[in-house]
Amino acid sequence: MAATERQVTANGLSLWTATQGAGPPVVLCHGGPGLYDYLEPVADMIDGLATVHRYDQRGCGRSEDRPPNDVVTFVEDLDALREHWGYEAWTVIGHSWGATLALLYAIQYPNRTQRLVYMSGTGIDPAWHQEYRRNREAKLPPPERDRLRHLEQQRSTATGADLDAINAERAILLEATEYNDPTVLAELPRYDRFPVNYPLNAALNAELSRMEEAGELPDQVARIAVPTLVLDGEADPRPRWPRARIADLIPDSRHVTIARAGHDLWVEQPDATAGALSDFLRDTG
């Protein structure tokens, strides 16, 4: 179903949005942070069951770039969109960083969240970082692994155009590690219409790391009372156990892992992904 695209003023800035389908409201939160919306294939899977909204987050893609770039503001942007569209509550689906955003939204606004889908997230335990680095390196041939390590060393001190070039090469190296079968890369559309907002990425990731280290998130997650689907692919280099912990903490939750799928699980296993999402949205029990 074709989407209608509009610029929407919410929380004091202009955000690009796309809407399609009919039924109860759902919003999709893209990853990054600092990328732009790439979740149209997911919207197409569920627009027969829901009115599906997508958007470019603050400072991303076609949306206005204006500070502050902090977690609280990103949550408030999301709720301002809910208010703009006139919903009392909606289902929030997030992928990768967007899964964290959806989780934090459900914590902040429990009465405005009908359901939660936490897709390919990284969890709330800081220990995931080291395991993720090991897993992605294990998926690379030795020359590319060595190059990645060299780039990581350079990245810690580089600035300006040098840092931009390092980030671009690093992203190309890591792209193949995101999939169960890296040969699918040749068949995928390129998500390079807009530049990545790396300063925003750095700011939000640093804040998320501080939140993880503070240790307050587990108690907050455990208070989430809405039906929750934790969804991931078995070949995602981000470890599975942090997502399993999210599912264990939330009382009304289920954890579905899709075989032979990586981080963007709908790419390699579209039928299984569509089935898991549709079953969850249809379930009224």
Side-chain angles (χ1 to χ4, degrees):
M1 188 178 297
T4 300
E5 300 183 23
R6 288 194 175 92
Q7 292 292 136
V8 166
T9 299
N11 203 22
L13 80 165
S14 177
L15 299 173
W16 174 90
T17 70
T19 301
Q20 65 190 84
V26 170
V27 63
L28 302 182
C29 303
H30 66 76
L35 294 177
Y36 58 93
D37 173 70
Y38 49 79
L39 294 172
E40 183 177 5
V42 178
D44 291 342
M45 291 176 174
I46 59 175
D47 64 2
L49 298 170
T51 301
V52 187
H53 299 283
R54 296 176 284 122
Y55 73 109
D56 284 347
Q57 295 159 21
R58 172 184 297 252
C60 302
R62 294 144 287 192
S63 289
E64 188 176 355
D65 187 2
R66 183 190 302 176
N69 289 329
D70 55 36
V71 168
V72 169
T73 302
F74 274 66
V75 171
E76 293 305 318
D77 288 347
L78 182 53
D79 195 56
L81 286 171
R82 176 202 58 81
E83 185 176 10
H84 170 83
W85 284 310
Y87 303 127
E88 291 186 7
W90 55 357
T91 293
V92 185
I93 300 176
H95 174 255
S96 197
W97 139 255
T100 299
L101 177 58
L103 187 76
L104 296 174
Y105 182 87
I107 290 170
Q108 181 65 27
Y109 292 112
N111 296 328
R112 300 173 189 175
T113 308
Q114 289 179 331
R115 292 171 181 267
L116 170 65
V117 179
Y118 185 87
M119 183 161 55
S120 302
T122 56
I124 54 175
D125 189 317
W128 76 270
H129 295 274
Q130 187 173 359
E131 188 171 343
Y132 168 51
R133 294 187 187 98
R134 289 198 302 267
N135 290 346
R136 72 191 187 193
E137 284 192 2
K139 288 190 166 193
L140 291 172
E144 294 182 5
R145 188 181 311 153
D146 292 343
R147 182 59 182 167
L148 176 63
R149 290 173 179 171
H150 179 67
L151 290 172
E152 296 288 11
Q153 291 175 346
Q154 290 183 313
R155 190 168 176 246
S156 64
T157 57
T159 58
D162 289 339
L163 180 58
D164 291 343
I166 291 168
N167 282 327
E169 183 179 354
R170 177 179 175 272
I172 292 171
L173 284 174
L174 291 177
E175 191 173 25
T177 71
E178 300 288 4
Y179 298 96
N180 178 66
D181 177 8
T183 63
V184 301
L185 283 172
E187 304 170 12
L188 295 180
R190 305 302 303 177
Y191 299 119
D192 54 5
R193 289 180 60 194
F194 306 100
V196 177
N197 189 331
Y198 285 110
L200 186 153
N201 177 279
L204 287 178
N205 279 332
E207 184 178 1
L208 289 175
S209 292
R210 291 192 295 270
M211 294 171 68
E212 292 169 353
E213 295 287 351
E216 298 175 358
L217 288 172
D219 288 341
Q220 296 172 351
V221 170
R223 290 195 290 271
I224 294 176
V226 300
T228 299
L229 172 64
V230 177
L231 184 62
D232 55 18
E234 68 170 353
D236 192 336
R238 295 153 190 79
R240 182 180 184 274
W241 63 262
R243 294 184 292 276
R245 187 184 183 205
I246 295 288
D248 288 341
L249 285 169
I250 299 175
D252 187 5
S253 66
R254 67 186 76 166
H255 186 182
V256 176
T257 299
I258 296 177
R260 299 180 302 281
H263 189 57
D264 300 348
L265 51 158
W266 63 89
V267 172
E268 294 177 283
Q269 300 297 334
D271 292 342
T273 303
L277 290 171
S278 299
D279 288 348
F280 179 69
L281 293 174
R282 287 194 188 102
D283 186 1
T284 58

